[in-house]
Amino acid sequence: MPNTNADHGLSSDELAIWASLATLLERLPTALDAQLQRDSGLTHFEHGILFALHSAPERTLRLSVLAAYASCTLSRLSRAVSRLETKGWVRREIDPSDGRFTLGILTDAGAQAVAESTPAHHALIRTLVFDTLTDAQARQLGVISRKVAEGIGPGGVWSPA
């Protein structure tokens, strides 16, 4: 992409692409949070934690693994898990196989919260993302998003089982 502007190092085409991506990065989380807060009293981040636990064997993950899935620090995860514990949706236990680790365990009430919140959340994702793209564009978005995420830092991108 030629036409690099010496003031900022990006071409006009690159700036236009970046502006679109930056706008998406601002608008999409806001829309997802608004729907989940309105319908379920959850943030998108909290829903992601519940969904990951719900998808895990025995609805249990080490918090370090959950933090990696959520691309967050243990501190941020701990604050969110504390909020979910207050609601009775998650509990923590020391890992019996290695006491150095703490497990996050989805409770039955948490499983119910995921079951109730996920359909509307997935419907919004379908409306905002997949209904605006062709199947080929959606596949391209997946490839591109994964490449950018992997370029940012180590650790795989979470994928459903």
Side-chain angles (χ1 to χ4, degrees), residues 46-115:
E46 291 166 342
H47 184 271
I49 291 167
L50 295 175
F51 192 84
L53 288 170
H54 191 265
S55 302
E58 300 180 32
R59 301 187 319 201
T60 301
L61 288 170
R62 285 182 174 171
L63 292 185
S64 56
V65 171
L66 189 53
Y69 285 165
S71 298
C72 71
T73 64
L74 278 170
S75 177
R76 180 179 184 207
L77 179 67
S78 182
R79 288 189 303 276
V81 168
S82 292
R83 289 190 301 273
L84 296 170
E85 280 180 308
T86 299
K87 294 179 179 187
W89 293 347
V90 174
R91 72 176 191 281
R92 290 181 239 213
E93 290 182 8
I94 299 300
D95 186 339
S97 67
D98 187 337
R100 296 174 295 169
F101 295 99
T102 302
L103 300 174
I105 303 166
L106 187 68
T107 65
D108 290 342
Q112 183 66 31
V114 172

Side-chain angles (χ1 to χ4, degrees), residues 11 14 18 23 26 51 54 59-60 80 85 93 99 102 109-110 120 123 127-128 131 133 149-151 153-154 157:
S11 70
E14 289 169 333
W18 173 247
T23 300
E26 293 297 324
F51 192 84
H54 191 265
R59 301 187 319 201
T60 301
E85 280 180 308
E93 290 182 8
T102 302
T127 298
L128 297 178
D131 289 351
L133 303 172
E150 290 168 351
V157 176

Side-chain angles (χ1 to χ4, degrees), residues 35-36 39-40 42 47 50 112-122:
Q35 178 270 319
L36 282 164
D39 295 350
S40 307
L42 288 165
H47 184 271
L50 295 175
Q112 183 66 31
V114 172
E116 291 173 1
S117 62
T118 298
H121 182 57
H122 284 183

Side-chain angles (χ1 to χ4, degrees), residues 139-156:
R139 285 189 299 277
Q140 286 177 318
L141 178 62
V143 169
I144 292 166
S145 299
R146 188 171 303 276
K147 282 183 130 341
V148 171
E150 290 168 351
I152 292 169

